[in-house]
Amino acid sequence: MDKIKSFFTNFIDVIFFVTVVMFKILVYGKHMSSFKSSFIPALASVFVLVSIACIFKTRGRARFLYICNCIISIFIVSDLIYYKYFKDIISVSVLISGFQLNAVKSSVANLLDFKDFLYLFDIVFIIPFINRYLTSQNRKLSTKVRVSMFLVFILVGIFIDFKSFYALSKEQPRLLTTMYNKVYIAKKLGTVNYHCLDIYNCVFANINRLTPVSKDKFQAIEYFIDKSKSSHENLNGIGQGKNLIMIQVEALQGFVINSSVNGKEITPNLNRWISRSEYFDNFYYQVAAGGTSDAEFMTNNSLYPASAGAAYLLYSGNEYNAMPKNFKNKGYYTAALHGFRESFWNRNVMYRKFGFDNFYGEKSYKQNESIGLGLSDKSFLTQSVEKLKNMKSPYYAFLITLTSHFPYDDVNKYGDFDVGDYKGSLIGNYMKAIHYTDEQLGMFLDELDKNGTLKNSIVVLYGDHYAIPKDKQDQLFNFLKTGSKSDLEWEKLQKVPMFIHFPDESVKGVNHVYGGQMDIYPTVCNLFKLKEEDMLGKDLFNPESERVTFRNGSFIDKDCYYSSQDDIYYDVNTGNKISKSDKLEKEEDYILNQLGYSDYILRHNLIKKLNLDKNK
Ligand code: GP9
Ligand code: MN
């Protein structure tokens, strides 16, 4: 009995650390939208930390464990908040671009939940007492005891961790190096292992960036890009010499189109314009941690977003064959228009890289009406009509709206659209906000129609990403009265509207092809007969496949949905799980190649090399 008592008094800090940190990791797993960190790998990672602590003498050991507990707890709280908004886990790359998050303070602030901060309770209220008790004991442990404890913990920890990492690397071969699905890694290995792996990969990627690109890899990418090229039979060149007006609408999610609440259409103006256009009703957003900036990046480059963090921040030094540059080579004037801060998402830097002649940002607009994050869509679009009028045709104008931005809490300024029983809920506030934006878009397009602009312009309009976050999914399911609330049903709701309006409305109807933001640039190339280079998307009017690839390795087409987070295939029509066939295995491989090549192009600034090669 005495032995046990003395063990406890000697190692109370270690016992407390293992118990509390494991409790936090498991509760975190449960809390993070019901994903469960695997107990064993998580324990192994904690053992590795304890082994390092055992090298120190008592006071140093207690301090080391306290610091580890602080770091782990802060990561857990940050992951929880980040996951609620981005459905992903924080990474070093995100922290590098993290300062962008402060501009959406209202969004993040809305996601804070007092319960999340309970993870920090022990750090503040319990451990300081334990440490004071320990140092008062002044018990000295012999070096022999400390070394043997180190060896026991490190061998057990490394052995179990190695087994867990090896098993995951066999199950998903490229996952540990590309980290394309961070949630799945944390789920399988625990949050401590995930963050250690992320730090390792970030350091390694930066070292890797310095090494020259191998000739084989370079040729493989060239071949792959070439294979992705679409054949352009249908509608080729129909838009030559005309203007392109592309409108990216903040948080315009597909479920509001042709939907009503309280007997009234949510988006009557978009519904009307959709009936006069080619409307793509199986069009998905493909953004990742870069949010809105990912949407813009894809539609103007047809390259995937960064595997972690925002391409707009991590790769602003790269060269691109972006849409504005392409149009400029055809004699077009090109401009981006957005009423918010020019530096937000690093747009002022990135738009120059894309080749825009002008970027009309916050300083180019009279800030005469503010709703939510900034300039109201009404004021932005009204002033933009004047800007378009003064543009020399043919032009490519890219407009980004702002008012319907999460958490849609400026409700008194959205007008008096009555959402009935949904009043005061997130989805109710969203419907009011998007109804307001719809009204402004209707005014904008009607004005362009009236002043003759649309006679000589093609309009592309799409949503940038979802509006209702996963932790509020019940509100959306209840509104839509969908029978099933399955993961598949949720993923099928991650659509955004996309329509293309042609001057004479000769091309119109509902197009069911499965597509996404990656496909807009190749589609525009076909319509305007632009050079199609270094793109990974497809032309929606001449699709070679019906697949939509997501950044985390999931994909959907008209037959099946692959959830990389669960490594499960679903039949899109019946909702049943289907077994992994050779064909599907090949699809998965193709997807990972595509994502891998896109990452390689960004990490090694390959467009610059590809351009140099072409000009040789
Ligand atoms: C800010 C606006 C919002 O300019 O585009 O960006 P988001 O928070 O949606 O990524
Ligand atoms: Mn957005």
Side-chain angles (χ1 to χ4, degrees):
M1 200 49 187
D2 286 353
K3 272 203 174 144
I4 295 172
K5 193 165 169 291
S6 85
F7 177 77
F8 260 88
T9 44
N10 272 335
F11 297 104
I12 180 148
D13 55 330
V14 175
I15 295 163
F16 187 88
F17 176 78
V18 174
T19 318
V20 164
V21 168
M22 281 309 295
F23 177 73
K24 288 182 186 180
I25 291 177
L26 295 175
V27 168
Y28 157 81
K30 179 94 189 62
H31 195 116
M32 278 279 275
S33 78
S34 76
F35 91 28
K36 291 184 180 52
S37 295
S38 300
F39 182 86
I40 298 298
L43 185 65
S45 58
V46 169
F47 275 11
V48 172
L49 294 174
V50 168
S51 70
I52 300 167
C54 291
I55 298 171
F56 300 101
K57 292 196 175 112
T58 312
R59 195 190 298 258
R61 185 186 71 204
R63 279 215 187 98
F64 178 81
L65 292 175
Y66 180 70
I67 293 167
C68 288
N69 189 352
C70 292
I71 295 170
I72 292 168
S73 307
I74 291 165
F75 262 124
I76 286 179
V77 173
S78 325
D79 282 345
L80 280 170
I81 296 167
Y82 187 78
Y83 186 85
K84 283 180 196 163
Y85 192 66
F86 289 101
K87 296 189 285 184
D88 205 346
I89 303 189
I90 273 201
S91 61
V92 173
S93 317
V94 166
L95 293 175
I96 292 169
S97 40
F99 64 90
Q100 282 300 338
L101 285 179
N102 68 33
V104 281
K105 248 195 291 290
S106 62
S107 312
V108 179
N110 261 278
L111 296 165
L112 296 181
D113 181 339
F114 166 71
K115 288 200 298 295
D116 296 347
F117 293 94
L118 290 176
Y119 286 98
L120 308 175
F121 181 79
D122 59 313
I123 290 168
V124 182
F125 295 105
I126 301 178
I127 297 180
F129 297 102
I130 292 185
N131 290 350
R132 206 170 304 136
Y133 160 76
L134 260 180
T135 39
S136 66
Q137 300 302 308
N138 252 338
R139 289 170 197 269
K140 293 259 180 288
L141 279 178
S142 71
T143 315
K144 195 163 152 272
V145 169
R146 281 189 280 125
V147 169
S148 22
M149 285 186 71
F150 163 73
L151 290 173
V152 166
F153 276 111
I154 194 102
L155 291 175
V156 171
I158 294 282
F159 174 69
I160 298 173
D161 251 354
F162 176 78
K163 271 184 68 183
S164 314
F165 275 76
Y166 181 73
L168 186 54
S169 68
K170 295 312 280 172
E171 181 200 328
Q172 302 232 10
R174 277 173 270 199
L175 183 60
L176 295 182
T177 47
T178 59
M179 297 189 78
Y180 59 81
N181 187 351
K182 295 184 280 302
V183 173
Y184 196 72
I185 295 173
K187 180 175 169 178
K188 288 287 191 182
L189 300 178
T191 181
V192 175
N193 281 322
Y194 160 77
H195 282 292
C196 292
L197 178 68
D198 176 50
I199 293 165
Y200 168 80
N201 277 332
C202 186
V203 169
F204 191 67
N206 281 299
I207 296 167
N208 204 358
R209 207 180 296 187
L210 304 172
T211 49
V213 176
S214 73
K215 196 161 172 46
D216 303 358
K217 185 86 172 182
F218 185 68
Q219 282 165 351
I221 289 177
E222 277 188 317
Y223 170 72
F224 196 88
I225 288 172
D226 224 37
K227 235 173 46 119
S228 310
K229 272 193 177 143
S230 316
S231 63
H232 295 311
E233 272 96 43
N234 302 327
L235 305 182
N236 187 244
I238 191 174
Q240 279 197 102
K242 299 212 181 318
N243 304 319
L244 172 65
I245 299 171
M246 186 149 88
I247 307 166
Q248 178 177 292
V249 183
E250 176 57 35
L252 173 63
Q253 189 165 350
F255 75 89
V256 295
I257 299 300
N258 297 322
S259 270
S260 297
V261 64
N262 212 25
K264 291 254 179 39
E265 284 182 273
I266 301 170
T267 57
N269 294 286
L270 287 173
N271 298 343
R272 178 166 51 89
W273 277 96
I274 278 171
S275 67
R276 297 173 55 180
S277 308
E278 182 83 351
Y279 173 54
F280 294 83
D281 66 343
N282 285 314
F283 188 84
Y284 287 80
Y285 68 83
Q286 297 167 282
V287 305
T292 302
S293 70
D294 280 354
E296 306 178 13
F297 183 73
M298 284 184 279
T299 54
N300 279 287
N301 288 283
S302 190
L303 292 174
Y304 285 99
S307 57
Y312 264 36
L313 300 152
L314 296 171
Y315 303 112
S316 57
N318 284 14
E319 188 168 311
Y320 297 97
N321 287 334
M323 196 189 285
K325 183 173 152 188
N326 213 337
F327 269 117
K328 264 169 75 166
N329 293 339
K330 296 274 273 194
Y332 275 65
Y333 168 71
T334 62
L337 302 89
H338 181 53
F340 196 52
R341 279 205 317 277
E342 286 81 355
S343 61
F344 190 73
W345 280 131
N346 209 25
R347 284 187 174 107
N348 46 353
V349 174
M350 218 46 175
Y351 287 169
R352 249 199 320 278
K353 285 288 177 179
F354 289 175
F356 278 112
D357 293 303
N358 285 96
F359 170 26
Y360 298 106
E362 185 180 39
K363 294 187 187 68
S364 310
Y365 284 85
K366 277 195 248 44
Q367 298 295 314
N368 49 14
E369 183 185 44
S370 174
I371 303 182
L373 276 186
L375 185 65
S376 71
D377 286 346
K378 179 175 184 176
S379 178
F380 168 66
L381 291 168
T382 307
Q383 294 183 60
S384 296
V385 168
E386 294 315 307
K387 289 185 179 347
L388 291 186
K389 265 189 204 158
N390 300 328
M391 282 182 195
K392 189 173 82 45
S393 272
Y395 58 75
Y396 160 42
F398 179 46
L399 296 94
I400 301 117
T401 69
L402 179 66
T403 299
S404 50
H405 190 281
F406 184 87
Y408 328 113
D409 54 1
D410 223 346
V411 276
N412 302 328
K413 296 184 182 173
Y414 298 144
D416 54 3
F417 182 56
D418 182 359
V419 293
D421 301 342
Y422 299 96
K423 191 170 182 319
S425 67
L426 179 81
I427 195 167
N429 293 347
Y430 169 64
M431 291 193 276
K432 288 174 75 74
I434 205 69
H435 181 82
Y436 163 87
T437 294
D438 170 77
E439 214 172 310
Q440 313 321 320
L441 289 167
M443 170 278 292
F444 178 71
L445 292 172
D446 290 345
E447 185 52 37
L448 296 185
D449 203 7
K450 210 163 72 200
N451 71 20
T453 303
L454 294 195
K455 279 200 178 41
N456 190 30
S457 308
I458 287 181
V459 176
V460 175
L461 184 144
Y462 64 92
D464 64 350
H465 50 63
Y466 66 91
I468 308 300
K470 188 137 169 69
D471 64 330
K472 296 283 186 300
Q473 65 175 21
D474 286 345
Q475 291 192 26
L476 181 53
F477 280 134
N478 296 340
F479 168 69
L480 296 172
K481 298 182 179 52
T482 45
S484 138
K485 297 190 173 185
S486 70
D487 287 348
L488 174 65
E489 280 317 308
W490 175 255
E491 292 308 330
K492 284 164 70 175
L493 287 171
Q494 303 315 303
K495 293 179 188 174
V496 289
M498 193 282 270
F499 68 78
I500 302 179
H501 180 269
F502 292 86
D504 55 3
E505 300 189 4
S506 55
V507 180
K508 66 179 177 185
V510 181
N511 191 321
H512 303 301
V513 69
Y514 274 69
Q517 292 156 333
M518 284 286 291
D519 304 324
I520 286 185
Y521 190 9
T523 303
V524 165
C525 285
N526 174 47
L527 298 178
F528 289 84
K529 264 195 168 171
L530 298 179
K531 257 167 94 175
E532 187 182 344
E533 290 183 305
D534 312 327
M535 297 175 207
L536 295 172
K538 60 180 180 286
D539 170 9
L540 293 170
F541 289 108
N542 301 279
E544 311 288 318
S545 82
E546 293 242 0
R547 181 195 322 105
V548 185
T549 302
F550 302 104
R551 180 63 258 189
N552 65 2
S554 299
F555 62 85
I556 193 166
D557 63 23
K558 60 184 175 26
D559 303 314
C560 99
Y561 168 67
Y562 170 63
S563 161
S564 67
Q565 307 219 14
D566 311 299
D567 195 20
I568 296 173
Y569 285 86
Y570 295 91
D571 179 310
V572 164
N573 304 304
T574 63
N576 299 332
K577 290 180 185 170
I578 45 182
S579 49
K580 196 182 274 199
S581 63
D582 289 349
K583 180 176 173 289
L584 288 175
E585 192 94 49
K586 278 206 184 79
E587 281 284 288
E588 207 180 311
D589 217 33
Y590 181 86
I591 298 290
L592 295 181
N593 268 329
Q594 218 187 26
L595 290 168
Y597 286 141
S598 189
D599 291 338
Y600 208 84
I601 288 171
L602 293 183
R603 284 196 190 119
H604 293 273
N605 191 8
L606 271 200
I607 300 283
K608 183 174 180 185
K609 201 171 167 9
L610 289 163
N611 288 345
L612 285 173
D613 250 34
K614 280 169 220 149
N615 301 333
K616 265 183 192 156

